Amino acid sequence: MPRKKPRFHSLKKLNVRQDWSRWSLYSLSQQRAPNVTTKTYFQQKWAAKASTRAYHGEQLREKKWKRQFKRNLPAVVPMEHKYLARNDGSEQAAGRGMGADTEEQKRAPPMTPYMQMTYYPLERRLDTAIFRALFASSVRQARQFVVHGLVHVNGKKMIYPGYQLNPGDMFQVEPSSVMFATGAPKTRSSLARRITKEKAAARAEAREQNPPRPPPKTTAVESTRDEPTPAELKKHMQALIEQVDELLEEDVKAKDKQKFRTFRQSVKKAIGLWKTANPETISTLDTQFEFLKTQIAERSATSSKDASTVEPLISEEDQAKLREAFEKLRLETEHTSAWNPKRNHAAPYATPWRPRDYMSAFAFIPRYLEVNQNVCAAVYLRHPVARPGLAEVPTPFHIETGQLAFNWYLRRR
């Protein structure tokens, strides 16, 4: 019987992966220094190698990574031009053997974490660079973008995820794919839908216990007798927006939400012109709102009921006014829907666009990349190096874990 393949994310064996997920975030919070008391040196190196390989280049086979491993780790020493211009080097030997050491000589320089650079060859890979530039939510998704022909390097399509970037190379990803990868998904999970329905039921129960005051209805007959002031009309429109927001929080279909958002924009515009508002405008907005609510009620009714037998709820004149209003709004927003992703309701990600969940913990860009999020392009400036107190290869592991992993591959080389 073939051996069962282990799960990519598991709570039994916590592994930090190169993706934006709650499992990686939990595994990251549980990271500890390696156990050096009860394990042998061989076991320590093996555990460090297993945990680091689960994060760095987990999409590669072990043999392929071993061929890329290098025992020479790049590092730099910072040299201050002011200090070099002021001194000629003789001050390094001043006071030696005479007990006249300066404060700068007594102060120990920060340690250079050389062995945290063990996996620096993997940072040159195209798929890893796309993930580091925040153009994909995981390395595997970045690899998929490359294979599907959505990535260009120096203006040419590149379909090889293992392409080794050189200093000065510019890579660009399709903007729609980046928004899909880094944006919140439109289709939520069953658990999220159930929680939304429970919250909607709780809000409905709270409204039944404390019913809100209905907004005053303004009719043509009442307007001739006692015409309301513009301030009262403004309050009525604000109450109308609150009702629209409550309906948007319910479990409503996407197309209905799109209509309510368009109606909300028209009410906002009317609120901006509240000083010149008149009761006829308010009555038209009320009619639109009632018409939208009746549409939802008709869709939620039994499917066996034929739509042709339903009597019209509003007059034909009001329906013609509604058609004209919606056509006007459609023409106003049609020219912006092609370039403004916030109004692209046919996109697979949520609109208006918002970041993917658990993104903030992984949203950082290393020093060796220069990223332009507006055009979804980045430049690979140089190879990552180690500096005093800093290793430019992003890694979530303890410095001792990196040392043990480097020693494992150094012995096996």
Side-chain angles (χ1 to χ4, degrees):
M1 185 175 181
R3 186 177 179 182
K4 187 177 180 180
K5 186 178 180 180
R7 293 182 59 185
F8 191 69
H9 292 289
S10 176
L11 295 178
K12 293 183 179 180
K13 186 177 181 181
L14 298 177
N15 287 322
V16 184
R17 303 288 187 177
Q18 284 187 340
D19 59 359
W20 305 341
S21 63
R22 56 182 183 271
W23 298 284
S24 293
L25 187 61
Y26 177 74
S27 302
L28 187 63
S29 65
Q30 300 298 319
Q31 285 292 316
R32 300 292 184 270
N35 184 7
V36 298
T37 56
T38 59
K39 290 185 178 181
T40 63
Y41 187 52
F42 179 87
Q43 292 173 342
Q44 295 173 27
K45 292 190 295 182
W46 171 264
K49 168 254 178 186
S51 58
T52 54
R53 279 287 289 127
Y55 178 80
H56 294 281
E58 49 86 15
Q59 75 276 15
L60 300 179
R61 294 183 179 272
E62 187 70 9
K63 290 184 178 180
K64 189 173 183 179
W65 154 241
K66 285 182 178 179
R67 289 195 298 267
Q68 297 180 5
F69 172 76
K70 297 179 181 179
R71 62 176 65 230
N72 299 326
L73 302 177
V76 295
V77 177
M79 304 180 69
E80 300 180 3
H81 61 280
K82 294 181 179 180
Y83 175 81
L84 295 175
R86 186 173 60 249
N87 303 290
D88 59 353
S90 61
E91 75 283 354
Q92 298 292 334
R96 292 188 178 181
M98 295 183 294
D101 293 341
T102 61
E103 292 296 330
E104 294 181 357
Q105 292 173 349
K106 292 179 182 179
R107 191 184 305 114
M111 182 183 61
T112 303
Y114 291 101
M115 297 183 188
Q116 292 290 81
M117 303 287 298
T118 303
Y119 298 98
Y120 86 93
L122 297 178
E123 300 299 317
R124 291 186 58 186
R125 289 178 57 91
L126 180 59
D127 52 0
T128 305
I130 292 172
F131 172 73
R132 298 296 189 194
L134 306 181
F135 293 156
S137 60
S138 65
V139 175
R140 292 178 177 267
Q141 190 176 46
R143 183 185 181 90
Q144 185 186 39
F145 287 167
V146 178
V147 173
H148 288 184
L150 303 175
V151 181
H152 290 74
V153 177
N154 297 330
K156 296 182 180 180
K157 184 186 294 185
M158 178 57 63
I159 59 173
Y160 301 106
Y163 174 77
Q164 298 288 312
L165 293 172
N166 295 315
D169 286 349
M170 185 187 73
F171 57 92
Q172 186 176 13
V173 188
E174 189 70 25
S176 59
S177 302
V178 175
M179 298 189 70
F180 165 73
T182 59
K186 181 177 290 186
T187 56
R188 297 172 297 175
S189 61
S190 59
L191 178 62
R193 291 196 297 269
R194 181 171 58 83
I195 293 175
T196 304
K197 288 183 179 180
E198 291 177 357
K199 289 182 179 180
R203 286 194 297 268
E205 185 178 356
R207 285 196 298 268
E208 290 178 0
Q209 294 178 358
N210 300 320
R213 295 181 179 179
K217 295 184 178 180
T218 305
T219 60
V221 179
E222 293 177 355
S223 62
T224 56
R225 296 176 182 176
D226 187 10
E227 186 174 354
T229 61
E232 294 177 353
L233 296 178
K234 179 181 179 181
K235 291 182 180 179
H236 178 79
M237 288 186 289
Q238 289 175 348
L240 193 62
I241 280 201
E242 292 179 359
Q243 295 182 11
V244 173
D245 292 337
E246 290 179 358
L247 280 174
L248 287 175
E249 291 178 356
E250 304 290 339
D251 193 7
V252 187
K253 293 184 178 180
K255 292 184 177 180
D256 296 332
K257 283 186 177 181
Q258 179 181 355
K259 293 180 180 179
F260 274 111
R261 290 194 186 103
T262 307
F263 173 72
R264 192 173 184 273
Q265 292 294 332
S266 61
V267 178
K268 273 190 172 183
K269 291 179 182 178
I271 291 177
L273 304 173
W274 65 275
K275 292 184 179 180
T276 59
N278 51 21
E280 295 180 0
T281 305
I282 305 302
S283 61
T284 304
L285 293 175
D286 288 337
T287 306
Q288 291 181 10
F289 186 60
E290 293 296 331
F291 177 69
L292 293 175
K293 288 199 298 185
T294 51
Q295 276 191 342
I296 294 179
E298 289 176 5
R299 292 182 182 179
S300 60
T302 56
S303 58
S304 59
K305 190 173 182 180
D306 189 9
S308 60
T309 60
V310 179
E311 297 181 358
L313 298 175
I314 57 177
S315 61
E316 295 182 357
E317 296 180 358
D318 293 336
Q319 289 184 7
K321 291 181 180 179
L322 286 174
R323 293 192 191 96
E324 292 178 0
F326 280 119
E327 183 66 20
K328 184 179 180 180
L329 290 172
R330 187 186 66 81
L331 293 175
E332 289 178 356
T333 59
E334 187 177 15
H335 69 282
T336 60
S337 61
W339 59 269
N340 190 355
K342 292 184 178 180
R343 304 198 181 181
N344 187 6
H345 300 284
Y349 45 84
T351 52
W353 187 90
R354 62 179 186 273
R356 182 179 287 270
D357 296 338
Y358 312 103
M359 178 184 177
S360 59
F362 309 97
F364 63 92
I365 298 174
R367 292 187 174 187
Y368 54 87
L369 290 177
E370 186 69 26
V371 182
N372 188 341
Q373 299 290 350
N374 296 327
V375 295
C376 299
V379 177
Y380 184 77
L381 300 176
R382 52 179 172 77
H383 301 319
V385 294
R387 303 174 181 272
L390 173 67
E392 292 185 349
V393 174
T395 180
F397 302 102
H398 195 269
I399 186 171
E400 295 180 0
T401 306
Q403 293 174 356
L404 292 170
F406 180 77
N407 288 327
W408 169 268
Y409 288 110
L410 191 64
R411 180 176 179 273
R412 292 281 171 175
R413 185 65 175 167

